Amino acid sequence: MAEKPLSSPPSTPLARAERFVWLTARVLEQHRFAYHFLRGGADQVETALTAYLNADGGYGHALEPDLRGPVSQPLHTAHALRVLDSIGRCGGMRVERICRYFTDISTHDGALPAIHPSQRGYPAAPFVPIVDAPPSALLATGPVVGLLHRNQVWHAWLFRATEFCWAAVESLEKSHPYEIQAAVAFLDGAPDRSRAEAAADRLGRLVREQRLAVLDPDRQEEYPVPDGYAPGEHHFPHDYARVPHSLAAGWFTDEEMARSLDRLAADQEEDGGWPIRWRAWAPGSALEWRPIVTVEALRTLRAHGRPVD
């Protein structure tokens, strides 16, 4: 009997990523991949996301893989909002419940802490501090407020949270990439566009002056890694401008953005997935992050007009 010929390995970036997702991803990321690249349905994504929803209106259960345990957290709930936004479901009672949760856990100035102290007692990444009275954090608040404004969500919680974000963004001096990303997420959705553009121009100069974006991937060893980051945890222009209409896109030349996207495309690994660049502290969290990063890498490449299939 003749041997059955071996099937050819997937050849396109999308086909390789699809195989990786089916092999490794949680159900949520499987449905997200199907929605964005295989004409899957939004209902399936939302149903999978509901498994992480708690009675208080927040999300938990390690939706953001670096925080384990069942309790609701701002970072989990922000992650849920990004998923809902990506499928066009960021509205209605689901978002009203989320805003009530944000109201309940807000700090004294109406913003969000990065980590609510309810996380204590459950596993969390060692680089995530848990304190009894956490301060307001642009890192947690900026992306949420920008996303809600962009979706024309109006809720009483947003007023003070928006003022906090403006004050935090406009006072940034010495910063780091994740904080800048949070600022960009706020500015991209802020209703006052002229104020947002002025703030973004200042941040763009800060990013270049402090060398917070690797502008030449072939010489990344010349760019500093911020304190507390993992060795080699650099950020590139595409990390700030995930879509070409982001205000951060104006910070970089066409050549710099092209080199950045070339680097992103080249980062796809042999198994079809993209790597995580931050510190992997537990096998489960690393395994769960890679499909999330893979979906986002493909979405970024496609948004910038790069072929993936």
Side-chain angles (χ1 to χ4, degrees), residues 49-61:
L49 183 63
T50 301
Y52 299 88
L53 179 63
N54 286 321
D56 60 6
Y59 288 75
H61 305 280

Side-chain angles (χ1 to χ4, degrees), residues 22 36 43 49 61 181 294:
W22 297 138
H36 290 294
D43 287 346
L49 183 63
H61 305 280
Q181 286 178 300
T294 296

Side-chain angles (χ1 to χ4, degrees), residues 129-146:
I130 302 171
V131 298
D132 289 333
S136 302
L138 179 62
L139 196 68
T141 314
V144 165
V145 172

